[in-house]
Amino acid sequence: MPILTTQENTDKSVSTEEGGKTAVQLRSVTKTYTNGYDALLDVSIEIKQGEFLFITGPSGSGKSTLLKLLYGEELPTQGEVIVDEFNVAALRGDRLSSLRRRIGIVFQDYKLIPQRTVAENVTFVLQAQGFTRKEIQRRLEPTLKLVGLLSKADRFPDQLSGGEQQRVSIARAIVGTPPLLLADEPTGNLDPDNSWQVMQILQKLNSFGATVIVTTHDEQLVRRCNQPVVQVRNGRLYRK
Ligand SMILES: Nc1ncnc2c1ncn2[C@@H]1O[C@H](COP(=O)(O)OP(=O)(O)O)[C@@H](O)[C@H]1O
Ligand SMILES: [Mg+2]
């Protein structure tokens, strides 16, 4: 269970799991956008390596902002964001790129390249990172197998269902075996069956050792998965 210092218990951090290395930590983080809007207010949480965490909350509550801070898309206005022992805000250039390579990201809208096949969508990042052709081939097959798309490697995104497209985007996120996987409303565009399938895959990756953080406003799905949950409301974090 993540260690969460909420506004309800500001003096004590609560943990049910002792030890373990910290994967992600927010220390009194406030994020104020340039328009003066406070998306997150004095948020503190620590997530250990290998944990699974759901972040729920209504639309506009600050879920995406929290994930963006973790992969350095946004910087905290106050407080510190630590990922893999690094202060994200202090990283520039190569060191930020290197941290980002250790984070897999899945978005609600898949963000696949329409003119490229499933296999190409999954591997183009590895190519850009200079992996050898042999290493790319070695990684591709088990990754597609894991998401159930081995037989569709040569299809294009518009020849796939929404659920399949999302599974391609998960394959792309994990093919480099990142220790941290962030999924921002990964089931937002999917029906219940496909949503369940996606959650099963994310939980399987967690069982293989990845730290997995998933935002969603689907309370029913969260209950069904029986994993730790925190809720964002009006920029503050609460234990569910
Ligand atoms: N770039 C931005 N500039 C100004 N306000 C923003 C920006 N991004 C998000 N917000 C605001 O911050 C709040 C939280 O947004 P977000 O983190 O996207 O919420 P969620 O993902 O929970 O729907 C919202 O009120 C949103 O309008
Ligand atoms: Mg969002």
Side-chain angles (χ1 to χ4, degrees):
M1 183 68 194
I3 302 170
L4 172 64
T5 314
T6 66
Q7 273 66 34
E8 291 157 342
N9 55 351
T10 36
D11 294 334
K12 51 184 194 298
S13 294
V14 183
S15 172
T16 53
E17 207 170 284
E18 290 303 315
K21 277 187 77 180
T22 302
V24 163
Q25 190 171 20
L26 271 68
R27 296 185 189 147
S28 302
V29 168
T30 293
K31 173 63 188 178
T32 308
Y33 282 110
T34 46
N35 60 3
Y37 186 85
D38 291 327
L40 293 175
L41 265 172
D42 194 21
V43 165
S44 295
I45 188 167
E46 178 182 354
I47 301 156
K48 301 281 191 194
Q49 274 178 20
E51 286 190 331
F52 188 107
L53 179 66
F54 276 121
I55 300 174
T56 63
S59 180
S61 57
K63 303 182 297 296
S64 295
T65 298
L66 202 159
L67 293 192
K68 285 175 184 171
L69 290 168
L70 296 183
Y71 60 89
E73 174 82 15
E74 294 287 351
L75 296 176
T77 311
Q78 277 177 50
E80 283 174 280
V81 177
I82 314 289
V83 176
D84 242 8
E85 296 175 344
F86 294 103
N87 180 347
V88 179
L91 296 179
R92 298 279 182 281
D94 284 354
R95 294 181 70 198
L96 182 59
S97 308
S98 145
L99 180 74
R100 282 187 173 154
R101 278 201 290 278
R102 296 171 54 72
I103 304 176
I105 310 174
V106 176
F107 298 98
Q108 175 170 354
D109 59 355
Y110 327 134
K111 300 192 193 296
L112 301 177
I113 302 173
Q115 315 89 312
R116 302 220 188 173
T117 65
V118 167
E120 288 164 353
N121 267 284
V122 172
T123 57
F124 83 91
V125 179
L126 294 183
Q127 281 168 19
Q129 289 172 11
F131 280 78
T132 63
R133 184 185 286 260
K134 198 172 160 196
E135 177 64 15
I136 290 171
Q137 280 312 315
R138 192 185 70 76
R139 285 171 175 259
L140 180 62
E141 191 175 309
T143 304
L144 287 180
K145 204 168 173 180
L146 184 79
V147 299
L149 288 174
L150 199 49
S151 64
K152 301 192 172 168
D154 297 324
R155 298 238 190 144
F156 288 88
D158 67 1
Q159 300 170 318
L160 301 174
S161 71
E164 288 169 335
Q165 290 184 52
Q166 187 56 298
R167 285 186 277 133
V168 176
S169 100
I170 294 173
R172 179 186 55 195
I174 63 172
V175 72
T177 52
L180 175 62
L181 184 61
L182 307 177
D184 196 2
E185 303 265 5
T187 62
N189 291 333
L190 303 181
D191 63 28
D193 281 349
N194 279 298
S195 297
W196 180 239
Q197 218 171 8
V198 161
M199 286 306 173
Q200 300 273 73
I201 293 169
L202 296 177
Q203 289 180 92
K204 187 182 257 185
L205 292 162
N206 174 247
S207 76
F208 294 158
T211 308
V212 178
I213 305 176
V214 183
T215 73
T216 179
H217 57 259
D218 188 340
E219 301 280 351
Q220 207 179 337
L221 191 61
V222 166
R223 276 196 295 278
R224 209 175 154 195
C225 291
N226 195 28
Q227 296 281 4
V229 188
V230 295
Q231 190 178 40
V232 193
R233 288 200 306 271
N234 301 323
R236 296 179 183 269
L237 265 194
Y238 299 88
R239 180 185 292 287
K240 282 280 282 187

